[in-house]
């Protein structure tokens, strides 16, 4: 019998369960605000955060907590996505849960899943796939092939019942703290919440034009979909696909495999063998996770052709940055030039320029992009900005000139 995740979790309460500690909630709050301190919601919460945290703590422990209203909006960079920004209070709950569960998740995750994990991420993932290709091809001296796959509408297709049943079983088995029931209740509330039914839309309806229906919570199937933008969604999504990781590594015996969210790559010397895995992977995803391989994003090629992965192009002995990132960098330069042309930038605008440009340069410096960085800045950056800042020797970042106009 399938469990109704929208039924309150009161029937399984046990006398031995204890409350979540107030100090843990304060820790989650400080972690949450670290990168969000200047947002409107964070500043509003900070005004009397102690009283608000105590109120949240009481609601969590007396079973009255329920997620609040999210803000829905569209972002265009690096690709068009629908974001549901949770209320700041709910973000604290997400940090609380992930802080408790992540150490347990890490013990069961394979080494080569890269998203939302300390010490890993996009650069790590790119380097690992590059390493797999070199190892499998014996430093490009023998044939090997790359199979890259993608899951269609991943976040919007995550089945909440399946996620909850897997997560509940995991917590019951692996989580041994006395506040287990409170943690289960919070996980259930977060997963069951449908922000599309209770949200404030920021922007205009036309902002959603061009966004496929399978990438929007407003069109996701009943009881499916996690909102992009929440820490809990990112980590729970990684947990959800952990079953796929173990299937590939242990059941199929694939040595060279890596995954970042729903993009995954397999490297093997036998092309026919990789071809034979496609229907097996599709069947596993459908049967166990109710997910579908994207039929138009199946890539199987010789390593010499390279592979696009996480905004880069990995080829023998070199890694290039993808054209989308190059285009975004060019667009950012043009926007900053427009700021300088419109008026004399104030200190806030100058600091924003430095932050934005150094963010792009910091990304680009990881790959063979010296000529690209130098050319983009010399050819396109306004001379006005070059009177205020200068690139360092390797064009890794901009530095402020000692004498700046007021």
């Amino acid at each position: 019998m399938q469990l109704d995740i929208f039924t309150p979790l009161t029937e399984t309460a046990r006398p031995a369960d204890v409350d979540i500690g107030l100090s843990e909630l304060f820790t989650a709050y400080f972690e949450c605000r670290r990168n969000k301190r200047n947002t409107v919601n964070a500043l509003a919460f900070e005004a009397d955060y102690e009283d608000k945290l105590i109120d949240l703590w009481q609601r969590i422990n007396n079973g009255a907590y329920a997620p609040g209203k999210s803000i829905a909006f569209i972002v265009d960079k690096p690709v068009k996505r629908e974001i549901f920004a949770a209320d700041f209070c709910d973000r604290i709950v997400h940090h609380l849960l992930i802080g408790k569960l992540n150490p347990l998740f890490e013990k069961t995750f394979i080494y080569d899943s890269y998203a939302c994990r300390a010490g890993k991420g996009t650069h790590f993932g790119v380097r690992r796939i590059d390493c797999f290709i070199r190892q499998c091809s014996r430093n490009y001296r023998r044939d090997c092939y790359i199979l890259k796959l993608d899951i269609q509408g991943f976040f919007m297709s995550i089945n909440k019942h399946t996620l909850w049943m897997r997560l509940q079983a995991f917590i019951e088995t692996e989580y041994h703290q006395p506040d287990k029931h409170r943690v289960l209740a919070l996980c259930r509330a977060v997963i069951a919440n449908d922000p599309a039914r209770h949200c404030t839309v920021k922007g205009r309806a036309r902002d959603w034009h061009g966004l496929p229906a399978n990438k929007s919570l407003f069109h996701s199937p009943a009881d499916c979909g996690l909102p992009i933008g929440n820490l809990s969604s990112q980590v729970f999504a990684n947990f959800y696909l952990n079953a796929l990781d173990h299937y590939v590594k242990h059941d199929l015996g694939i040595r060279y495999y890596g995954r970042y969210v729903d993009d995954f790559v397999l490297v093997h010397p036998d092309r026919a063998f990789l071809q034979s895995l496609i229907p097996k992977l599709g069947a596993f995803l459908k049967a166990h996770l109710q997910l579908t391989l994207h039929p138009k994003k199946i890539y199987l090629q010789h390593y010499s052709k390279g592979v696009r992965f996480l905004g880069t192009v990995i080829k023998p002995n070199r890694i290039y940055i993808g054209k989308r990132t190059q285009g975004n960098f060019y667009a950012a330069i043009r926007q900053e030039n427009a700021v300088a042309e419109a008026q004399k930038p104030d200190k806030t605008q100058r600091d924003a320029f430095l932050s934005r440009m150094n963010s792009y340069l910091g990304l680009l410096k990881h790959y063979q992009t010296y000529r690209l960085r130098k050319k983009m800045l010399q050819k396109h950056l306004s001379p006005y900005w070059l009177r205020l800042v200068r690139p360092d020797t390797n064009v890794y970042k901009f530095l402020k000139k000692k004498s700046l106009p007021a």
Side-chain angles (χ1 to χ4, degrees):
M1 181 178 177
Q2 193 173 43
L3 177 68
D4 181 2
I5 62 173
F6 299 102
T7 301
L9 194 67
T10 55
E11 69 278 7
T12 59
R14 294 176 290 271
D17 288 321
V18 301
D19 290 347
I20 288 172
L22 181 59
S23 63
E24 295 179 287
L25 205 60
F26 271 81
T27 299
Y29 164 68
F30 289 122
E31 180 67 23
C32 182
R33 80 171 190 180
R34 186 169 60 178
N35 296 321
K36 299 287 185 180
R37 195 164 189 179
N38 292 324
T39 64
V40 173
N41 285 340
L43 291 171
F45 193 94
E46 191 170 356
D48 53 348
Y49 73 93
E50 291 181 340
D51 290 341
K52 290 175 181 175
L53 284 175
I54 291 172
D55 175 69
L56 176 59
W57 173 66
Q58 291 173 338
R59 286 189 287 121
I60 287 172
N61 288 318
N62 65 22
Y65 168 76
K69 183 180 290 188
S70 296
I71 298 175
F73 58 94
I74 294 291
V75 297
D76 292 311
K77 305 296 183 182
V79 295
K80 194 163 192 171
R81 291 186 185 277
E82 175 188 81
I83 304 295
F84 280 82
D87 183 77
F88 190 77
C89 189
D90 297 327
R91 294 181 195 174
I92 296 172
V93 173
H94 300 164
H95 277 269
L96 174 72
L97 286 176
I98 300 309
K100 285 176 170 291
L101 296 177
N102 239 355
L104 303 177
F105 288 156
E106 283 295 324
K107 292 179 182 179
T108 188
F109 286 168
I110 67 168
Y111 186 79
D112 283 292
S113 66
Y114 312 121
C116 296
R117 300 181 66 188
K120 299 188 178 180
T122 56
H123 300 313
F124 182 86
V126 169
R127 299 297 182 192
R128 285 290 290 175
I129 299 303
D130 179 55
C131 178
F132 290 164
I133 296 169
R134 284 188 285 106
Q135 290 179 350
C136 188
S137 66
R138 295 178 182 171
N139 283 326
Y140 315 119
R141 292 196 299 269
R142 77 167 184 181
D143 289 336
C144 84
Y145 298 85
I146 304 165
L147 174 62
K148 180 174 177 288
L149 300 168
D150 181 278
I151 296 172
Q152 191 168 34
F154 172 54
F155 273 93
M156 307 310 151
S157 300
I158 292 175
N159 186 287
K160 292 186 177 185
H161 291 283
T162 301
L163 171 60
W164 165 244
M165 294 298 285
R166 288 178 174 272
L167 185 59
Q168 182 186 36
F170 178 85
I171 293 173
E172 290 285 6
T173 303
E174 303 295 335
Y175 190 84
H176 303 300
Q177 299 304 313
D179 61 0
K180 178 187 290 186
H181 179 69
R182 302 297 184 203
V183 170
L184 280 167
L186 287 177
C187 287
R188 195 171 193 168
V190 169
I191 293 172
N193 179 48
D194 182 359
R197 293 185 180 182
H198 185 56
C199 69
T200 299
V201 176
K202 182 180 179 181
R204 295 161 293 186
R206 67 184 183 187
D207 293 342
W208 271 256
H209 291 175
L211 184 74
N214 66 4
K215 293 184 179 294
S216 172
L217 273 184
F218 293 111
H219 302 285
S220 62
D223 297 346
C224 286
L226 296 182
I228 297 175
N230 292 346
L231 174 64
S232 57
S233 297
Q234 297 168 33
V235 178
F236 287 165
N238 212 17
F239 171 79
Y240 196 71
L241 283 183
N242 189 44
L244 171 68
D245 297 337
H246 285 274
Y247 173 70
V248 173
K249 293 290 290 184
H250 303 131
D251 292 17
L252 298 180
I254 304 300
R255 179 180 180 184
Y256 302 117
Y257 164 81
R259 177 181 62 80
Y260 187 95
V261 193
D262 61 330
D263 288 335
F264 51 104
V265 174
L266 299 83
V267 184
H268 195 272
D270 188 338
R271 188 184 193 281
F273 175 71
L274 287 177
Q275 182 76 48
S276 73
L277 294 183
I278 298 173
K280 292 181 181 179
L281 291 166
F284 178 88
L285 287 168
K286 180 65 71 175
H288 295 274
L289 299 173
Q290 294 79 55
L291 298 173
T292 304
L293 286 177
H294 199 304
K296 295 183 180 180
K297 294 185 178 180
I298 297 174
Y299 177 88
L300 177 56
Q301 288 288 354
H302 191 270
Y303 76 85
S304 61
K305 302 291 186 181
V307 61
R308 297 183 184 277
F309 188 59
L310 304 183
T312 70
V313 180
I314 304 172
K315 287 198 170 184
N317 293 310
R318 60 202 186 277
I319 302 174
Y320 297 121
I321 202 71
K323 291 188 179 299
R324 177 184 292 160
T325 303
Q326 294 182 39
N328 290 343
F329 185 34
Y330 173 68
I333 290 174
R334 287 185 56 118
Q335 289 168 5
E336 295 298 334
N337 288 345
V339 171
E341 292 168 3
Q343 61 182 13
K344 185 177 181 181
D346 57 24
K347 183 179 183 303
T348 300
Q349 291 169 322
R350 295 199 299 264
D351 289 344
F353 166 84
L354 269 179
S355 176
R356 191 177 190 186
M357 290 297 104
N358 284 343
S359 177
Y360 273 103
L361 293 176
L363 167 65
L364 294 170
K365 75 179 183 181
H366 289 275
Y367 311 109
Q368 284 91 335
T369 60
Y370 173 77
R371 291 183 180 178
L372 171 68
R373 300 194 306 271
K374 190 173 181 180
K375 178 182 177 181
M376 290 282 278
L377 298 177
Q378 287 181 341
K379 185 175 181 180
H380 301 296
L381 189 63
S382 167
Y384 176 85
W385 290 117
L386 294 175
R387 297 207 309 269
L388 305 179
V389 298
R390 62 177 178 83
D392 65 0
T393 305
N394 296 310
V395 200
Y396 284 164
K397 63 179 180 180
F398 276 114
L399 304 172
K400 288 183 180 181
K401 290 186 177 179
K402 292 183 178 180
S403 178
L404 288 177

